[in-house]
């Protein structure tokens, strides 16, 4: 499953890869593929969030639910799509809040790789999904894997910012030590809920203010 991560994340992820739950997960994905089901993202992009934001550098975590389920959208980063792909509605709303908060005009590209390379871990709860079937892997052992990652970050690092957008992401708050880290919660940026508290949350400026207070380089959103 292309599980090898080539940076310092490997030290922390290798024990998770050896867990029985992860072995069950690989069996499940192999079975899906043997039944000719199409899964996203492509195998070599499943762990992109870790490849682009190494453990030492990570200072912000944005928790998503699962990858986009249409062709050519998912590339291993929550809320992000590859260069040249039409910007999905939730990401359009993220860009709208970014403009409201910091005056940054919407990016014509939907790729958030430039965030990841600055230490923003764009982590979905499930790292794969079946084509045209949103949430199809939401109850697989991916949850154990990604919750272990959140717990690991909380335990081993200091002064992280966790952005939890929507009820699904907000359930992860119990994994985070709020005495060591900043947790910012808001409604999901989906068109169905963005107006219920995502717009106007000012999470981008609040993140940078917190990083500066703790002598960490702010994110160039």
């Amino acid at each position: 499953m292309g599980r090898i991560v080539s940076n310092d994340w490997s030290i922390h992820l290798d024990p998770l890869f050896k867990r029985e739950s992860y072995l069950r997960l690989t069996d499940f994905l192999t079975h899906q593929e043997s039944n000719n089901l199409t899964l996203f993202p492509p195998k070599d992009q499943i762990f992109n969030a870790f490849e682009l934001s190494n453990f030492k550098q990570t200072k912000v975590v944005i928790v998503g639910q699962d990858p986009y389920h249409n062709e050519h959208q998912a590339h291993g980063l929550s809320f992000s799509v590859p260069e040249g792909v039409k910007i999905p509605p939730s990401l359009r709303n993220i860009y709208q809040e970014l403009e409201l908060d910091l005056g940054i005009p919407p990016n014509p590209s939907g790729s958030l790789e430039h965030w990841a390379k600055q230490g923003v871990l764009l982590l979905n709860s499930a790292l794969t999904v079946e084509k045209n079937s949103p949430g199809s892997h939401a109850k697989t052992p991916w949850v154990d894997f990604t919750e272990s990652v959140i717990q690991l970050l909380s335990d081993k690092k200091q002064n992280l910012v966790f952005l939890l957008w929507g009820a699904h992401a907000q359930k992860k708050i119990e994994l985070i030590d709020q005495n060591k880290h900043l947790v910012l919660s808001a409604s999901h940026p989906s068109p169905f809920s963005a107006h219920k508290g995502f717009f106007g949350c000012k999470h981008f400026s609040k993140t940078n203010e917190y990083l500066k207070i703790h002598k960490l380089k702010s994110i160039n959103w």
Side-chain angles (χ1 to χ4, degrees):
M1 197 171 62
R3 75 183 197 190
I4 303 302
V5 178
S6 61
N7 57 36
D8 63 352
W9 266 112
S10 63
I11 301 164
H12 305 285
L13 297 183
D14 281 352
L16 303 185
F17 291 141
K18 292 170 184 171
R19 284 185 181 174
E20 191 269 338
S21 62
Y22 187 82
L23 300 178
R24 281 190 287 113
L25 175 66
T26 56
D27 288 344
F28 165 75
L29 296 174
T30 300
H31 182 261
Q32 292 240 298
E33 289 179 330
S34 68
N35 286 330
N36 296 317
L37 295 173
T38 300
L39 307 183
F40 298 133
K43 277 186 181 181
D44 63 349
Q45 296 177 13
I46 290 173
F47 295 102
N48 254 3
F50 302 99
E51 286 286 357
L52 294 175
S53 174
N54 66 49
F55 183 84
K56 183 178 180 181
Q57 181 189 28
T58 298
K59 49 193 172 185
V60 180
V61 183
I62 300 180
V63 179
Q65 193 158 351
D66 59 349
Y68 295 118
H69 56 89
N70 294 323
E71 291 273 6
H72 311 305
Q73 288 185 308
H75 66 144
L77 306 175
S78 62
F79 296 105
S80 177
V81 291
E83 290 280 350
V85 173
K86 183 180 178 182
I87 297 173
S90 290
L91 181 55
R92 209 161 43 236
N93 286 339
I94 289 170
Y95 283 169
Q96 187 174 332
E97 171 56 24
L98 193 53
E99 185 168 26
L100 286 169
D101 186 9
L102 291 172
I104 298 171
N107 195 325
S109 168
S111 173
L112 301 179
E113 287 191 11
H114 63 295
W115 291 6
K117 290 174 181 177
Q118 295 176 74
V120 180
L121 182 68
L122 295 156
L123 182 69
N124 280 315
S125 289
L127 301 190
T128 56
V129 70
E130 183 184 330
K131 180 181 178 180
N132 299 331
S133 185
S136 51
H137 294 181
K139 295 183 179 178
T140 67
W142 272 131
V143 177
D144 174 63
F145 178 85
T146 55
E147 287 190 347
S148 295
V149 168
I150 293 170
Q151 184 90 62
L152 180 78
L153 285 162
S154 176
D155 291 347
K156 293 189 175 292
K157 291 186 72 79
Q158 298 276 350
N159 307 133
L160 294 174
V161 182
F162 290 86
L163 304 184
L164 306 182
W165 298 335
H168 179 86
Q170 287 162 22
K171 290 175 184 174
K172 311 299 183 185
I173 197 167
E174 62 192 34
L175 304 167
I176 303 163
D177 184 346
Q178 294 184 73
N179 294 315
K180 296 168 59 182
H181 309 288
L182 176 64
V183 177
L184 297 174
S185 299
S187 63
H188 195 277
S190 155
F192 301 107
S193 56
H195 63 285
K196 297 177 181 177
F198 180 76
F199 291 138
C201 70
K202 297 187 179 296
H203 281 186
F204 302 103
S205 59
K206 289 175 181 177
T207 293
N208 279 348
E209 286 164 10
Y210 181 85
L211 294 175
K212 286 176 184 175
I213 287 168
H214 293 282
K215 306 290 192 291
L216 296 166
K217 188 175 180 181
S218 59
I219 304 297
N220 179 8
W221 301 107

